[in-house]
Amino acid sequence: MSRIHILDDRLVSQIAAGEVVERPSSVVKELVENALDAGAREIRVELVAGGKRRIVVADDGCGMDADDALLAFDRHATSKIDSIDDLERVATLGFRGEALSSIAAVARVELRTAETAGEGQRVRIEGGRVVTVEPVAHPQGTRLEVASLFFNVPARRKFLKRPQTELRHALAVIQGYALAQPEVRFSLRHDGRMLLETLPVSADQEGLRARIGQIFGAVLARNLIPLEAAVRPGERVAGFVGNRQTGRGRRLFVYVNRRLVRDRALLAIFYRTVRETWKSDAFPALFLFLEVPPEEVDVNVHPQKAEVRFRDPGFAGRVGDALRAALEQARGEEPAPLATPVAPPSMPAAWEGLGERKQPLRDDGGTWRPLPGGEVSEVREGAVAGGDELADGGARSYGRAVEPGPAAGVAPRIAQPNFTPPAPRTVPLSGRSGPPRAFRLLGQYKGSLILLEGPDGLYLIDQHVAHERLLYERLRRAFADESTPSQSLIEPQILELGPAEALRLSELAPALEPCGFALRPLSGGAVALAALPADLALDAAERLLQRLATAEEAIENDPGALRRQLLDDFAASQSCRAAVKMHHPLTMDEMQALISELFRAEQPYACPHGRPVVLQMTDVELERRFGRR
Amino acid sequence: MDIRLNRVELLRELVPMQGIVERRSTIPVLSHLLLRAIDDRLEVAATDLEVSLTSSCEAEVEEEGAIALQAKKLLEIVRACEGDDVALSLDSETQTVSLAAGKSRFKIRGLPADDFPTLPSLEADGAVEVAFPTFKKMVGKVFFAVSSEESRFQLAGALLEQREGALTLVATDGHRLALVESEVEGLEAADSVLVPRKALQELLRLEDEADLHFRRGEHHLSFTVGRRQLICRVLEGTFPDYERVIARDNDKHVVLPRQSFAAAIQRVSLLTGDRARSIRLNLRDGELELTAANPDLGEAREDLPCEYQGEELSVGLNPDYLKDFLGAVETDTVRLELKDEDSQCVAYPVDGDDRRYLCVIMPIRI
Ligand SMILES: Nc1ncnc2c1ncn2[C@@H]1O[C@H](COP(=O)(O)OP(=O)(O)OP(=O)(O)O)[C@@H](O)[C@H]1O
Ligand SMILES: [Mg+2]
């Protein structure tokens, strides 16, 4: 007997369903897309047990007539495309005609729909089998109820997560469409509780801003800079980037023709532009809405329709330009003058690296000119043009001045004989074993390097990296402890998050408590922070929480391990961000404090990312360079 | 500009300017002072664009004029010179000032006065009047609680509130809150405004016995003391509803001698943990026990007799916050009002001069 046989129809549709329906949120996604395609102005979603028990999506769209109500559940039944040419110009969110049949194959589904109010149709399907078809009174629109998802596919059902987790995924989906469709009213109820409700607003920039505020809170909405771009006819580049205050968490939303995409190429442009414009990895919030004529973009390159391909290669460049302009605008955070000064006040002389100086000149109007006699900029520029010039050129021109007097037969050495001879290179800065050795703080070089005189040479310490290292160790220690001293706050601080983010944070709250955080969920996507680890600044704490709330990694697997890993990696990124920057003058006391803590650190030589903290110029090396050896 | 003036008087005006210009400025002209000879005086101004200070001193003016000179150098020169008088004359062609004092002659290169930012001016109406020493004391009593971070949550400034007959200053950094209220005659309209940290800090440095005239403009605040006027921007933000924050139901009161309490805290806190400083206050009848522990180093304990009757109680606090309060308060005894481990500690002076002074310190739980 042959072993190969043809699968029966229902099994085929169950397998096919697997591609479309993975979890309750995928059902929500398909049903919301259908409602939007049907021109709905209002979409109500209700979930029970995170959607595992029941999902209801009701809309006020065009509805279906009696025939279509049945046809909709057939595989490859769609009203949206007819021919391969149509596929070239898909303007609707759906087009495969697969969603409803897939869902109906793995759940108990009830459809109520009416094209004209009152004259509706009710269809019940269980596991792909039509159970009931009957007329019913229904207002214009469609209501789909999906109960007991995967009731007939136990293997799938087992993989569903806790209701809270499934709910969070569903929320993220609805949030995504709510951002893209400001004119549509969305609401989400879970176990009877209203979690998200957005009133309709206009589809222009300000409407978008209002919608973002409805979801993520007014603070974020206020901190957004609109994107504007010179585009071709039929194109639109709209949306916002956040200013510096929003550089926490990952709120990156990219839409192409109102379809939420996770397109790596577009995100890469964003990351690159932020790095170039802000010289920073603190990526701000991004809400990018791109519209191009449907035939200019291919949405069918990814099964979940998450990636896109643009036919016009120049388009990505135009998006990049818009991002750059907005980011440049967002960067301007220098304090505004008291009144209008004659010279623009906001051009700090910044150095890119240690060597080159960025010109503090502005050529926009020519009101600014280098001021004579003010600073020693010329000297600086000359002296630091190359690393070796100080040693070579400098020594030559001052050669005569330091000529030893006649009494000194031998050039005096820098190393004093009473210092113990240096063990080459591997100098423990702190005598972790052995007595501590004396160091003298010389000062700061260009607000960036701390100079130390040691028994055996000159030490240069990168203040940013050193501080980063210390913060990292402090945070790691704090998180490693079972319990951390927890500082209560005078007033709970309200963190405005989106509902999905707030939910995730509430889930994590018990795990965060031993770390010193006291969190309390509030309504409307906010969380109150009542206490925090005693050694964490409020801002740093907020950034940590934001990051945890938006982290993409799955947290549910092993909360303990994951928490440690997340916190550790937060400690690394956090300490980098909070560390004193280059070109930031420090007082002697500040330097002293930094150095003494550094010498007590577990690992004072490299930052969490592996960059060196300390460079040493030994006396021997210095003497050789000065021609004394 | 061609003027002659008293060297010591000039010096007296140059010194307080340094705090303003000292800020790490990368805009050359901001490390300069604006000198303007006008009528019979020399006006001096400094600004960091956030806070500005102006003043003047009497001068014999031959010719009016203005120039910006490097603040620190000018101070050093005027201070180092001998002689009663200083003469300044400007060569506007080269923007160079010749300075003569005693037998010394200096030529100092300056920047055109036009490069100096235009400073805002505030009209005199609606001025609040208060003795400057009183005001300075008030600032000193809350300054430690002003946040030095400026973030979404934190206001790097203090709330100045006027009510009929009283002036209140409140500061909080989220962990603690300090409030001081003084009686001030002649205050009427209720008003409140946020004063930035830097302005408070500069006011603390001014020495003057005169009255302070405080005015509020739309965007700026001005503090005038004698001939000196400090102008700063109004800090935007909402200050917490502080009265609601201060606990009223703390029923466990302990009265302590200020100095020995401070000294005990100082000693015990030598052994607090490295990353989070906290000590414990353990209260029993008639006795306060202070303890601290550092897992790596060891423990410290000190008993302090005190006036206390009631249930035993233990609470963790940051010793620095207590020390800040004990350093600012002037009375011999202080009172702590407590409730339980999770509730705030409110510290008061006993029999102080202020109408009201208190410091709320939030606990640390371990
Ligand atoms: N809420 C609704 N209102 C009106 N018509 C609907 C609604 N939902 C589905 N339909 C009709 O049912 C058809 C099948 O829907 P289904 O989601 O299975 O496929 P699709 O949307 O065409 O493509 P895709 O599989 O890509 O989603 C649609 O083409 C549409 O005509
Ligand atoms: Mg569909």
Side-chain angles (χ1 to χ4, degrees):
Chain A
M1 193 181 110
S2 92
R3 278 176 296 138
I4 300 181
H5 57 271
I6 305 294
L7 292 176
D8 85 63
D9 261 4
R10 265 198 310 135
L11 193 53
V12 170
S13 34
Q14 279 186 15
I15 291 170
E19 280 170 29
V20 178
V21 185
E22 189 194 349
R23 59 195 327 168
S25 66
S26 9
V27 175
V28 171
K29 172 176 182 289
E30 294 298 339
L31 297 187
V32 168
E33 284 190 352
N34 283 349
L36 288 169
D37 284 345
R41 311 303 296 169
E42 176 174 2
I43 300 176
R44 279 172 291 131
V45 183
E46 277 176 55
L47 301 178
V48 177
K52 285 158 78 169
R53 200 165 311 145
R54 189 164 52 236
I55 301 166
V56 180
V57 176
D59 66 56
D60 60 353
C62 62
M64 287 174 266
D65 65 18
D67 292 340
D68 282 351
L70 263 179
L71 216 54
F73 291 99
D74 284 352
R75 281 192 73 195
H76 309 301
T78 180
S79 57
K80 298 169 191 174
I81 54 171
D82 258 335
S83 63
I84 187 75
D85 291 344
D86 288 346
L87 193 54
E88 298 274 290
R89 302 184 281 273
V90 202
T92 49
L93 294 161
F95 51 82
R96 300 155 309 177
E98 261 182 353
L100 286 185
S101 72
S102 300
I103 295 166
V106 293
R108 301 182 217 277
V109 175
E110 188 201 75
L111 164 74
R112 288 162 190 252
T113 185
E115 275 188 330
T116 333
E119 300 162 25
Q121 194 75 10
R122 183 171 99 117
V123 177
R124 282 208 304 129
I125 300 191
E126 291 192 358
R129 261 198 211 105
V130 179
V131 183
T132 330
V133 184
E134 61 187 21
V136 71
H138 191 76
Q140 191 203 321
T142 304
R143 178 183 187 277
L144 262 149
E145 180 170 332
V146 179
S148 315
L149 184 62
F150 296 136
F151 76 98
N152 53 352
V153 199
R156 281 251 158 191
R157 192 168 179 80
K158 238 184 20 225
F159 277 103
L160 294 184
K161 302 289 195 293
R162 287 174 304 147
Q164 287 290 302
T165 310
E166 295 301 341
L167 168 63
R168 183 156 45 73
H169 287 287
L171 244 173
V173 166
I174 296 170
Q175 192 175 286
Y177 287 106
L179 285 171
Q181 311 277 348
E183 322 95 305
V184 180
R185 177 184 200 126
F186 284 86
S187 68
L188 169 68
R189 244 174 227 286
H190 181 248
D191 294 346
R193 211 169 68 118
M194 186 66 85
L195 284 185
L196 179 80
E197 201 172 7
T198 59
L199 300 177
V201 286
S202 61
D204 55 15
Q205 285 279 32
E206 283 322 296
L208 270 174
R209 190 194 288 276
R211 176 53 62 93
I212 293 169
Q214 291 169 348
I215 296 173
F216 292 105
V219 175
L220 179 67
R222 241 182 285 128
N223 285 321
L224 297 175
I225 312 254
L227 290 166
E228 276 147 36
V231 289
R232 306 263 168 92
E235 290 178 1
R236 177 170 181 239
V237 176
F240 300 91
V241 289
N243 63 18
R244 292 282 202 175
Q245 263 102 318
T246 66
R248 332 153 179 247
R250 281 199 239 142
R251 284 171 175 159
L252 307 176
F253 295 88
V254 179
Y255 294 84
V256 175
N257 292 346
R258 297 201 169 190
R259 188 194 296 281
L260 183 61
V261 296
R262 254 231 158 253
D263 187 65
R264 268 189 242 121
L266 284 171
L267 283 177
I269 293 177
F270 172 67
Y271 292 137
R272 178 155 34 86
T273 317
V274 173
R275 288 205 182 96
E276 280 169 12
T277 328
W278 284 12
K279 313 255 179 290
S280 152
D281 276 343
F283 303 112
L286 171 68
F287 299 92
L288 179 59
F289 297 90
L290 305 177
E291 268 160 48
V292 292
E295 63 273 14
E296 282 294 307
V297 57
D298 186 358
V299 290
N300 210 12
V301 288
H302 187 273
Q304 261 98 49
K305 307 170 187 161
E307 282 184 18
V308 291
R309 199 168 296 143
F310 295 104
R311 240 139 259 180
D312 173 5
F315 184 67
R318 294 197 282 282
V319 174
D321 291 344
L323 286 172
R324 182 172 333 253
L327 287 165
E328 266 163 13
Q329 198 190 330
R331 186 182 52 186
E333 269 191 353
E334 287 85 351
L338 285 168
T340 324
V342 176
S346 54
M347 289 305 290
W351 285 268
E352 300 273 356
L354 275 173
E356 347 148 21
R357 175 168 187 205
K358 211 165 100 188
Q359 274 301 316
L361 280 169
R362 279 224 289 228
D363 44 17
D364 60 354
T367 43
W368 203 94
R369 62 205 145 77
L371 299 165
E375 287 288 326
V376 285
S377 50
E378 289 82 2
V379 181
R380 275 184 190 152
E381 269 167 17
V384 297
D388 278 340
E389 266 187 39
L390 182 69
D392 300 344
R396 230 172 285 129
S397 44
Y398 292 107
R400 223 161 296 143
V402 292
E403 209 127 48
V410 187
R413 289 270 162 89
I414 295 169
Q416 293 294 306
N418 58 341
F419 279 135
T420 41
R425 284 292 165 195
T426 54
V427 194
L429 282 178
S430 59
R432 287 198 145 249
S433 49
R437 293 189 293 156
F439 278 84
R440 196 162 67 91
L441 183 57
L442 298 178
Q444 200 185 18
Y445 175 73
K446 286 198 174 172
S448 300
L449 299 182
I450 298 173
L451 306 185
L452 287 188
E453 175 192 299
D456 46 3
L458 175 68
Y459 289 79
L460 296 99
I461 294 177
D462 182 324
Q463 67 188 37
H464 170 70
V465 186
H467 196 204
E468 186 179 342
R469 178 78 225 172
L470 295 181
L471 292 173
Y472 173 67
E473 290 197 5
R474 259 190 250 167
L475 286 167
R476 250 212 351 217
R477 255 179 282 139
F479 297 146
D481 282 6
E482 260 314 284
S483 71
T484 305
S486 170
Q487 168 77 60
S488 310
L489 292 173
I490 285 265
E491 261 201 328
Q493 301 293 349
I494 313 300
L495 311 179
E496 274 187 356
L497 303 158
E501 296 167 8
L503 201 66
R504 161 159 269 181
L505 215 51
S506 311
E507 282 176 75
L508 286 175
L512 286 168
E513 209 179 288
C515 300
F517 287 100
L519 292 169
R520 193 159 34 85
L522 303 173
S523 60
V527 172
L529 173 67
L532 71 170
D535 53 355
L536 208 59
L538 200 46
D539 258 19
E542 192 203 3
R543 272 198 295 269
L544 164 62
L545 295 174
Q546 291 260 15
R547 222 183 88 83
L548 289 180
T550 53
E552 274 173 6
E553 306 89 289
I555 297 224
E556 47 273 356
N557 302 348
D558 173 3
L562 219 45
R563 187 190 107 218
R564 274 192 301 281
Q565 180 233 312
L566 269 174
L567 293 182
D568 195 59
D569 119 347
F570 166 76
S573 76
Q574 187 55 46
S575 39
C576 177
R577 221 180 282 174
V580 286
K581 295 287 177 289
M582 305 284 273
H583 313 302
H584 179 88
L586 298 174
T587 67
M588 284 306 236
D589 286 345
E590 286 170 321
M591 284 189 266
Q592 191 74 53
L594 184 71
I595 298 301
S596 21
E597 196 180 341
L598 180 67
F599 288 177
R600 275 186 273 122
E602 286 164 33
Q603 210 298 55
Y605 302 109
C607 83
H609 306 113
R611 271 188 292 158
V613 176
V614 185
L615 285 185
Q616 188 198 7
M617 290 272 274
T618 61
D619 289 343
V620 178
E621 200 174 328
L622 285 168
E623 282 164 0
R624 213 180 28 239
R625 292 215 175 215
F626 281 114
R628 292 173 186 277
R629 264 194 200 233
Chain B
M1 178 163 84
D2 188 0
I3 59 170
R4 169 173 288 274
L5 72 171
N6 183 283
R7 190 175 65 88
V8 178
E9 270 180 38
L10 176 59
L11 205 52
R12 204 181 300 142
E13 298 314 323
L14 294 183
V15 171
M17 300 281 162
Q18 305 296 320
I20 310 275
V21 293
E22 231 168 41
R23 274 262 305 247
R24 311 148 172 179
S25 176
T26 42
I27 308 165
V29 77
L30 294 186
S31 63
H32 287 52
L33 297 181
L34 178 69
L35 304 183
R36 184 184 300 281
I38 188 165
D39 292 340
D40 53 356
R41 62 185 189 277
L42 176 71
E43 291 181 347
V44 189
T47 184
D48 67 354
L49 298 182
E50 198 185 311
V51 177
S52 66
L53 182 63
T54 57
S55 187
S56 65
C57 49
E58 273 177 34
E60 292 163 36
V61 178
E62 281 294 318
E63 192 192 326
E64 298 188 340
I67 178 86
L69 292 181
Q70 237 240 323
K72 190 149 167 275
K73 265 301 159 235
L74 182 63
L75 174 71
E76 285 171 359
I77 291 173
V78 174
R79 184 184 272 151
C81 279
E82 293 174 336
D84 295 339
D85 284 356
V86 189
L88 300 173
S89 67
L90 169 67
D91 177 354
S92 38
E93 194 98 328
T94 57
Q95 297 292 341
T96 305
V97 168
S98 309
L99 183 152
K103 295 210 163 54
S104 323
R105 299 286 178 275
F106 292 86
K107 272 193 194 298
I108 311 168
R109 268 221 271 167
L111 296 176
D114 287 348
D115 286 1
F116 202 80
T118 319
L119 302 181
S121 59
L122 275 190
E123 295 309 319
D125 43 309
V128 173
E129 234 178 278
V130 51
F132 185 60
T134 311
F135 185 75
K136 224 174 111 170
K137 259 194 198 157
M138 289 177 70
V139 175
K141 281 178 176 163
V142 301
F143 189 70
F144 58 80
V146 177
S147 171
S148 42
E149 283 176 72
E150 205 167 333
S151 70
R152 189 144 91 58
F153 299 117
Q154 264 148 3
L155 300 164
L159 182 75
L160 178 62
E161 209 167 54
Q162 68 183 79
R163 238 170 308 146
E164 208 185 312
L167 202 60
T168 314
L169 205 53
V170 196
T172 180
D173 63 3
H175 296 180
R176 53 192 165 157
L177 176 147
L179 175 153
V180 62
E181 191 173 302
S182 289
E183 269 168 52
V184 175
E185 302 271 304
L187 288 186
E188 277 163 25
D191 193 10
S192 70
V193 68
L194 280 165
V195 187
R197 179 190 169 87
K198 165 110 180 181
L200 295 170
Q201 189 179 335
E202 295 309 320
L203 285 169
L204 277 176
R205 285 190 215 204
L206 292 188
E207 297 292 342
D208 213 310
E209 295 301 315
D211 275 354
L212 168 75
H213 296 255
F214 160 70
R215 290 181 201 106
R216 178 193 181 153
E218 199 184 337
H219 301 294
H220 295 104
L221 303 176
S222 102
F223 298 85
T224 313
V225 196
R227 278 174 313 194
R228 299 191 185 127
Q229 187 185 29
L230 184 138
I231 295 187
C232 64
R233 302 170 154 274
V234 175
L235 196 61
E236 302 289 342
T238 29
F239 200 84
D241 179 359
Y242 59 90
E243 292 292 1
R244 201 175 44 76
V245 163
I246 303 165
R248 317 254 165 221
D249 57 344
N250 283 8
D251 51 354
K252 305 198 172 62
H253 296 190
V254 48
V255 175
L256 291 153
R258 175 172 69 95
Q259 277 176 350
S260 45
F261 184 35
I265 292 172
Q266 174 67 36
R267 283 187 289 269
V268 168
S269 60
L270 292 173
L271 279 187
T272 52
D274 282 340
R275 30 183 201 81
R277 287 175 52 81
S278 82
I279 59 171
R280 286 201 84 73
L281 278 62
N282 307 307
L283 265 181
R284 293 187 277 275
D285 263 355
E287 192 175 77
L288 171 66
E289 181 194 61
L290 302 177
T291 58
N294 179 318
D296 300 327
L297 294 173
E299 295 170 9
R301 208 191 81 182
E302 181 153 345
D303 292 336
L304 208 70
C306 66
E307 284 174 39
Y308 177 71
Q309 264 111 41
E311 280 170 56
E312 293 196 1
L313 168 74
S314 170
V315 61
L317 292 174
N318 184 327
D320 299 330
Y321 296 171
L322 281 171
K323 279 193 271 179
D324 284 339
F325 169 75
L326 295 172
V329 72
E330 295 146 327
T331 57
D332 290 338
T333 42
V334 296
R335 186 177 73 248
L336 305 184
E337 297 189 0
L338 299 154
K339 185 170 160 210
D340 55 38
E341 195 180 18
D342 295 333
S343 308
Q344 51 180 246
C345 160
V346 195
Y348 297 90
V350 176
D351 298 329
D353 293 337
D354 303 305
R355 178 138 123 186
R356 199 169 163 214
Y357 181 35
L358 62 89
C359 181
V360 175
I361 303 174
M362 295 308 285
I364 292 181
R365 273 168 300 168
I366 313 201

